[in-house]
Amino acid sequence: MDLGSIISILITSLMAMVPIVLTSVGAVWSERAGVVSIGYEGVLLMSAFFGAIAAEVTGSGIMGLVGGIATGIIFGILHGVLTVYLKGDHIIPGIGINLLAMGVVPFGILAYWGTAGQHQVAVTLWSWNTKYGKISPMVFVTIAIAVITWWVLFKTPLGLRVRSVGENPEAADALGINVEKYRFWSTVYGHALAGLGGAYMSVAWLGVVQKTMSAGRGFIALANMVFSGWNPLVALLGGWLFGFFDALAAWLAPLHIIPGQFILMLPYIMTLIIVAGIIGKARPPKWDGRPYKRE
Amino acid sequence: MKSSKSDALKFFNFKALIESLIAIFVGFLLGAIVLLVFGYSPAETYYWLFKGALGSTNGIASTLAYSTPIMLTALTFAISARTGIFNIGAEGSFYFGAIAAVIFTNIWGNMWFGLAMGMLLGALWSLPAAFLKVYRGVHEVISTIMLNWIAWFFVLWLVVGPYANPNDPNKTIRIPESARLPLIGNTDLSIAFIIAVIASVLTYYLLWHTVFGFGMRASGINPKAARYGGVNPNKAIIWSFVIGGIMSGLGGAMKIMGEPPTYAISQGMANVYGLGFDGIGVALVGRNHPLGIIFAAIFFGMLRAGTPLMQIGAQVPLEIIKVIQGIIVITVAIPGLYDLIKKAFKRGEA
């Protein structure tokens, strides 16, 4: 392995970390407030699709990202209403959102662009093209979002209130904090970040919309959230690690050392090992996934 | 026996039935809006969909054939859900059941041997998630999804590599004639459907009429109380994964052994992909009850069986039925749906 390929793997790993980090950071915030969602996989996929449409309709890559965020917000509102206000189960709506995405995106690609399974996005976000591969400004936006989210969550009164409704909603309620309001908007924020990550995949990184393009990243992001101990800064590091395995798999695949299928398994196997190794030490917020009903 | 009948009937409680029917209605309604947005005619689409699914003997046979695998993967989800676990791993066990049927019926061309090995591999593949849950506390949603992807690539390697058909490399070698499931009457429907219904009834009996099943449900409702009552919730969890794996493995094996004319895993594993995920929807609409699942599976099978005619008649992509299914599942997830609707109607009257 020469220096050039090391640099190009590192650059690819930064590009690949973006959707995982954004989704993880969003999930950290949402779970710190006590709301679990497993629908991020579907949100990534649908915002990749709707983000690409938004970019092509407006002719702007930035508007594509905005379209992704809007898609995330819509599903965040849906999940928030079901779990926070109607006190429903936190897992089942996510299953529904994921199933919906598996229908909406293949259907939409065919019905909107008339191509089966895949569409090349005509308008993409600007990026630096180096001889080792392209770098999107979204890499730096993602790092900034992770740092700012960490700072707000742990260093500001707003973050303290968010964490209190996930850790001890009864005490928070007694102090006059509107538990439902904080939980609801935390859910929306979490899904909005996933929406940004999804649109990044189609509009900035890969430049295509594919019906299987989320490829488990929504769930890898959840594993990364557990790995991080619900901390956005560690999630940034962990997300880069997952991005690295992604990049390594992509680099190894054309070399045909072992069958390609075994290399493609790598990110998923590493996720399992890391989560199995770390857990037990990681403690979720106390009221994570539990509906809060006022007595 | 009397008590079993009344218990079976108890499932058909009005509220649950109405909620599932409302969800189905909402699914078709919003599906119609999606169709309109993309410039298709909902009336025409639904007409061809139902005509395809129910309009002929072949259509009905196809409906029941499509309902078979998703009935079994739905049982996987439901058994775990009753034990307090969200097992999304039916998909992976299903692939292993399918490839097991291909591998082992070509060693010994016996139908029962193929089914047994499908169940065995399906159960084995469910064990890592069970142990990770019980001994390492890994959330089963994360582990089963990762295991699904690993299963996908591993079985894909077997499909395109060691077990590829030399005359048709995009497919696997075929199930030998001696191990194929008998067909019913003059149709393409195999006895797989009957076996799936029997599996559902057995699951119902196991969960509601045995001490073992009571223990599983008890630890799903309240693990602490179950432990106090002498049930080990960890054991219940492992058994729920194993039985679930058996069901999906059986589904995968029967999908290949009972599906004329292919009798093989097709290119890109297209004929085994997604049936585990569809099963989750079936389980939720069937209220995680094995007897409800029989009907929910036939309903979802009907949607799938109607698509060929719908694609020809109304020129609509078949994925629209996945959109409808997704909406149905989200609607089922609305807590207290029945009471909400009732309240809305009362407000309307006043």
Side-chain angles (χ1 to χ4, degrees):
Chain A
M1 193 189 272
D2 59 309
L3 188 66
S5 36
I6 291 174
I7 296 174
S8 95
I9 287 174
L10 286 178
I11 287 179
T12 314
S13 70
L14 288 175
M15 294 294 282
M17 90 178 174
V18 171
I20 293 170
V21 170
L22 286 174
T23 308
S24 296
V25 168
V28 165
W29 184 289
S30 167
E31 293 211 0
R32 280 284 180 179
V35 179
V36 173
S37 168
I38 65 159
Y40 295 117
E41 178 79 8
V43 172
L44 280 174
L45 192 55
M46 283 190 278
S47 48
F49 171 70
F50 288 111
I53 292 180
E56 289 188 354
V57 167
T58 60
S60 147
I62 303 253
M63 287 314 289
L65 298 181
V66 172
I69 294 172
T71 309
I73 287 175
I74 287 168
F75 286 101
I77 290 173
L78 177 67
H79 191 69
V81 167
L82 290 178
T83 56
V84 178
Y85 288 108
L86 297 176
K87 320 290 180 199
D89 183 273
H90 285 210
I91 302 285
I92 295 172
I95 292 173
I97 290 171
N98 292 338
L99 287 175
L100 182 68
M102 286 167 73
V104 163
V105 174
F107 174 79
I109 292 173
L110 249 166
Y112 188 77
W113 288 301
T115 55
Q118 184 168 344
H119 168 75
Q120 199 82 28
V121 183
V123 179
T124 53
L125 194 72
W126 174 86
S127 62
W128 293 285
N129 288 303
T130 71
K131 66 173 174 174
Y132 302 110
K134 67 173 184 179
I135 309 176
S136 170
M138 276 300 291
V139 170
F140 305 100
V141 173
T142 300
I143 294 170
I145 286 175
V147 173
I148 292 168
T149 303
W150 171 82
W151 184 77
V152 174
L153 197 53
F154 289 100
K155 303 288 169 192
T156 68
L158 170 67
L160 184 64
R161 274 179 243 135
V162 167
R163 285 183 289 128
S164 74
V165 300
E167 200 65 43
N168 193 342
E170 281 155 347
D173 199 0
L175 289 171
I177 295 171
N178 188 334
V179 174
E180 289 177 338
K181 193 177 95 183
Y182 276 89
R183 285 193 156 190
F184 178 76
W185 288 108
S186 297
T187 312
V188 172
Y189 177 66
H191 286 76
L193 284 191
L196 178 61
Y200 160 83
M201 282 200 292
S202 62
V203 174
W205 180 26
L206 303 168
V208 290
V209 181
Q210 254 179 330
K211 61 181 179 182
T212 56
M213 70 187 297
S214 50
R217 285 190 181 86
F219 292 101
I220 290 178
L222 287 178
N224 181 41
M225 170 199 72
V226 175
F227 165 76
S228 77
W230 288 265
N231 180 332
L233 280 187
V234 186
L236 175 63
L237 186 76
W240 174 77
L241 200 64
F242 286 108
F244 177 75
F245 291 124
D246 226 2
L248 194 65
W251 182 81
L252 282 170
L255 300 182
H256 297 293
I257 307 165
I258 48 171
Q261 289 87 11
F262 288 92
I263 292 165
L264 292 169
M265 281 178 207
L266 196 65
Y268 308 104
I269 294 174
M270 292 315 295
T271 305
L272 261 190
I273 291 173
I274 289 171
V275 174
I278 203 79
I279 233 145
K281 290 164 208 148
R283 191 188 68 84
K286 210 167 179 186
W287 274 69
D288 202 9
R290 284 164 70 186
Y292 175 67
K293 274 186 200 144
R294 250 184 158 165
E295 296 292 314
Chain B
M1 282 319 280
K2 238 182 183 173
S3 76
S4 79
K5 196 180 169 194
S6 65
D7 265 12
L9 287 175
K10 215 190 282 168
F11 155 70
F12 294 101
N13 83 58
F14 187 63
K15 234 178 181 178
L17 186 66
I18 293 291
E19 286 188 347
S20 285
L21 289 177
I22 290 170
I24 289 166
F25 174 74
V26 171
F28 278 112
L29 189 71
L30 294 182
I33 293 170
V34 173
L35 285 166
L36 278 176
V37 167
F38 283 99
Y40 300 105
S41 154
E44 219 178 295
T45 306
Y46 292 155
Y47 169 77
W48 287 110
L49 183 70
F50 286 108
K51 193 175 164 65
L54 304 170
S56 63
T57 316
N58 277 338
I60 293 169
S62 170
T63 292
L64 299 180
Y66 277 119
S67 73
T68 304
I70 52 179
M71 197 182 292
L72 289 161
T73 53
L75 289 176
T76 304
F77 184 83
I79 292 164
S80 319
R82 290 287 178 184
T83 322
I85 293 285
F86 287 97
N87 181 357
I88 321 279
E91 192 76 16
S93 288
F94 195 85
Y95 304 152
F96 271 98
I99 196 70
V102 170
I103 295 172
F104 291 101
T105 57
N106 277 291
I107 294 170
W108 179 28
N110 178 298
M111 175 182 116
W112 300 108
F113 180 60
L115 295 181
M117 292 314 282
M119 290 191 262
L120 179 68
L121 259 67
L124 285 177
W125 188 251
S126 70
L127 281 177
F131 289 140
L132 283 170
K133 172 76 186 178
V134 169
Y135 295 111
R136 301 295 304 159
V138 177
H139 198 286
E140 68 278 5
V141 168
I142 293 173
S143 61
T144 49
I145 291 281
M146 295 304 124
L147 287 163
N148 285 346
W149 280 98
I150 296 166
W152 166 263
F153 287 116
F154 185 76
V155 175
L156 186 63
W157 170 69
L158 291 171
V159 167
V160 298
Y163 291 94
N165 187 340
N167 303 317
D168 186 359
N170 293 323
K171 294 178 183 148
T172 59
I173 48 175
R174 305 180 80 194
I175 303 285
E177 262 170 57
S178 60
R180 292 175 188 173
L181 297 177
L183 300 178
I184 300 171
N186 231 345
T187 66
D188 276 355
L189 178 67
S190 75
I191 61 161
F193 175 73
I194 296 166
I195 295 175
V197 172
I198 293 171
S200 306
V201 174
L202 282 180
T203 306
Y204 163 72
Y205 184 82
L206 178 81
L207 283 176
W208 270 272
H209 293 279
T210 66
V211 178
F212 178 77
F214 178 77
M216 286 176 74
R217 286 188 297 124
S219 44
I221 294 163
N222 188 340
K224 274 181 197 154
R227 192 182 288 277
Y228 199 70
V231 176
N232 181 348
N234 285 348
K235 250 188 203 159
I237 287 171
I238 292 175
W239 275 113
S240 82
F241 271 102
V242 170
I243 299 169
I246 289 174
M247 293 302 172
S248 291
L250 176 65
M254 294 204 298
K255 173 78 183 167
I256 306 304
M257 292 165 63
E259 190 185 58
T262 355
Y263 292 111
I265 300 177
S266 60
Q267 182 174 10
M269 290 167 62
N271 62 348
V272 293
Y273 174 75
L275 296 162
F277 296 126
D278 286 353
I280 299 169
V282 173
L284 291 171
V285 172
R287 298 291 162 154
N288 288 326
H289 192 294
L291 302 182
I293 282 171
I294 297 176
F295 295 99
I298 293 173
F299 169 73
F300 277 59
M302 194 181 79
L303 289 184
R304 182 67 187 77
T307 52
L309 211 57
M310 178 192 80
Q311 280 176 292
I312 298 165
Q315 314 275 323
V316 175
L318 77 97
E319 280 85 2
I320 186 67
I321 62 151
K322 299 239 166 184
V323 177
I324 295 172
Q325 286 173 13
I327 296 167
I328 291 173
V329 172
I330 294 175
T331 314
V332 173
I334 300 173
L337 180 65
Y338 177 77
D339 296 326
L340 283 176
I341 299 265
K342 217 167 104 184
K343 225 189 265 170
F345 270 110
K346 274 207 179 127
R347 212 173 283 155
E349 279 164 20

